[in-house]
Amino acid sequence: MTPRLGLRENWPQFTLLLLVNAFVGGMVGLERTILPRLAEQEFHLVARSAILSFIVVFGLTKAAANYYAGAWANRLGRRNLLLLGWLCGLPVPLLLLWAPSWGWVLVANVLLGLNQGLAWSSTVVMKIDLVGPRQRGLAMGLNESAGYLAVAATAFASGWLATHYGLRPYPFYLGLILAGLGLLASLLVRDTRAHVALEAAQAPAGPAGSRLSFWDVTWRHPNLGSVTQAGLVNNLNDGMVWGLLPLLLASKGFTLTQVGTVAAVYPAVWGLGQLLTGPLADQFCKKDLLFWGMLLQGAALLAMLFASSYPAFLLLAALLGAGTALVYPTFLAAVAEYAPLAQRAHSVGIFRFWRDAGYAIGALLTGVLADALGLGAPLAAIGGLTVLSALVIQRRMHCLPVAASLAGPPRSCAAAAAAARPESFLSSILTKQYQTPPVCGA
């Protein structure tokens, strides 16, 4: 079959990948509500840093898996990485179900990190391959929406099951179903190398020597570096919320069902919101979506310092989810746009490496601060870091008029810097004339 680019042209394969990503998201959603409580009640862990060690292990493993998924995608094939990710994920529910000690939980989270890094990265890159350059924001909005709605659904379902039937074993039976269905659905997926070749044949030639290094994607490239630092801070605060919020709500006397509901509202708004924000990333300046999203996240986290009632936490969880929805599809759409086609998968892998390293950094920082200063200290510190990340985006990122970007990349990074200029979100909405600057070579 001759490959074609576009969402409509590839909707059966794209829909199958959405389903696969929902199963991937469901796997991590299992832990959102019950694992911190499991650490306290069944394994009798007291230190917050010890309780949050499962997130540190998960974040480090997922970060490494993201990097190698990007580096291996062209060599081994996207589909093969997806299947490998599910083979790593199959034992996770069984290890959590039978774990006689906390060490088993840490091993399970190593495998879960591999599952999330390899499987989620593969579905991301394959969807970008399928839709072509004009619908990346929409594709990422749909992809991340499917994944995080599944996180929300399983966070709520595992909390409900734990409330009515105990922390183990019933919540983890759900994980066995998700892992089995995810592997079966992945067997039906087709590789997208032909779509990459088609886009490469259709794309205009880039400037000679246009190549991005690891450190370009990490920081040196003004736009890619801004996106990468925001991705790291985003998952840094998500790692804190994952590990800290159930403990914070429990300390205020909320039931496990209420904890599960708050834990589900955040990724539910995050997931649903991306159905709107994904297409916005194709239309408006990505800088503005990232700035306002990170600023809203930081404000919501800082406001949790003063919240005490259940409705207040529901509202703040929704605002936190809305801020994350603004940035999440925009991250990946921006990296795909700024990176040269031949380096797309590798650049996405570098970005996701740093983004998911944020889980480990957030969990470590949260545990140390919570043990030393109480549960409010991590909220204040990480909320402040999130606001600072928004200011970095405002300072470093730039937008270009669409007409300039359609004319092709400038001959030098100096020309790009001279042409680039920040534009306001209002002007973007009124004119729809602004997009992102072209890629400079390393």
Side-chain angles (χ1 to χ4, degrees):
M1 182 183 296
T2 303
R4 294 181 298 168
L5 300 178
L7 182 57
R8 181 176 297 176
E9 291 80 0
N10 295 285
W11 73 265
Q13 175 86 338
F14 193 93
T15 303
L16 178 60
L17 286 167
L18 286 180
L19 180 63
V20 170
N21 209 51
F23 293 135
V24 179
M27 290 290 289
V28 77
L30 285 173
E31 297 189 347
R32 284 270 170 173
T33 302
I34 62 176
L35 216 55
R37 189 70 67 90
L38 190 72
E40 287 186 322
Q41 292 189 4
E42 294 202 13
F43 298 109
H44 309 295
L45 298 181
V46 176
R48 306 304 184 195
S49 53
I51 292 172
L52 299 182
S53 59
F54 78 96
I55 302 177
V56 176
V57 169
F58 169 82
L60 291 175
T61 308
K62 187 182 177 189
N66 284 333
Y67 178 77
Y68 285 105
W72 293 341
N74 292 331
R75 263 180 273 169
L76 301 181
R78 277 79 154 148
R79 180 178 181 272
N80 291 335
L81 287 177
L82 178 61
L83 293 174
L84 180 60
W86 277 114
L87 291 176
C88 293
L90 281 175
V92 171
L94 292 173
L95 288 170
L96 294 174
L97 187 95
W98 292 330
S101 68
W102 189 244
W104 282 52
V105 175
L106 298 182
V107 172
N109 275 271
V110 169
L111 293 174
L112 183 63
L114 292 172
N115 165 257
Q116 296 291 301
L118 297 176
W120 202 308
S121 291
S122 300
T123 62
V124 163
V125 175
M126 292 173 85
K127 289 187 186 74
I128 290 173
D129 295 342
L130 289 172
V131 301
R134 296 190 178 276
Q135 294 178 300
R136 287 175 184 146
L138 174 60
M140 290 303 92
L142 293 170
N143 179 79
E144 303 301 291
S145 178
Y148 285 97
L149 283 174
V151 171
T154 53
F156 177 80
S158 61
W160 185 88
L161 288 169
T163 299
H164 291 84
Y165 302 105
L167 292 170
R168 292 195 289 182
Y170 290 100
F172 299 110
Y173 290 154
L174 179 59
L176 290 172
I177 296 170
L178 292 170
L181 291 177
L183 179 60
L184 289 174
S186 298
L187 291 171
L188 303 176
V189 170
R190 297 189 303 274
D191 203 87
T192 56
R193 286 179 176 178
H195 295 82
V196 177
L198 175 61
E199 184 179 344
Q202 294 177 351
S210 177
R211 184 168 181 81
L212 294 170
S213 71
F214 179 88
W215 294 111
D216 288 321
V217 180
T218 299
W219 179 251
R220 273 199 301 248
H221 187 288
N223 277 3
L224 283 172
S226 298
V227 173
T228 298
Q229 66 82 26
L232 185 149
V233 174
N234 180 91
N235 278 23
L236 186 150
N237 70 51
D238 185 40
M240 179 196 67
V241 170
W242 181 357
L244 180 70
L245 193 60
L247 300 176
L248 180 65
L249 295 176
S251 72
K252 295 179 179 294
F254 296 154
T255 68
L256 196 54
T257 299
Q258 289 175 319
V259 172
T261 303
V262 174
V265 164
Y266 162 46
V269 174
W270 177 354
L272 284 172
Q274 289 176 105
L275 297 176
L276 172 64
T277 60
L280 289 180
D282 291 323
Q283 298 295 323
F284 303 131
C285 175
K286 293 176 176 61
K287 168 186 172 178
D288 293 315
L289 297 178
L290 294 175
F291 170 74
W292 289 110
M294 296 302 291
L295 191 63
L296 181 56
Q297 286 181 45
L301 291 172
L302 293 174
M304 286 183 182
L305 288 168
F306 309 101
S308 58
S309 67
Y310 179 55
F313 274 102
L314 286 175
L315 174 61
L316 291 173
L319 291 175
L320 183 61
T324 312
L326 278 169
V327 300
Y328 232 68
T330 311
F331 286 150
L332 293 165
V335 174
E337 182 171 308
Y338 303 148
L341 179 60
Q343 295 179 265
R344 175 194 295 158
H346 189 47
S347 297
V348 167
I350 294 169
F351 162 74
R352 285 171 60 84
F353 166 81
W354 286 115
R355 192 195 67 185
D356 288 320
Y359 279 124
I361 298 170
L364 283 171
L365 186 58
T366 297
V368 170
L369 288 176
D371 285 335
L373 302 172
L375 294 177
L379 276 174
I382 293 177
L385 279 175
T386 307
V387 172
L388 179 62
S389 175
L391 298 178
V392 170
I393 291 168
Q394 185 68 14
R395 174 67 178 167
R396 292 195 81 208
M397 285 192 76
H398 295 85
C399 304
L400 270 182
V402 168
S405 63
L406 291 177
R411 293 183 179 274
S412 69
C413 286
R421 57 188 176 91
E423 298 292 343
S424 71
F425 189 52
L426 179 60
S427 66
S428 298
I429 293 173
L430 292 176
T431 65
K432 296 187 180 180
Q433 293 296 308
Y434 297 98
Q435 283 289 340
T436 45
V439 176
C440 293

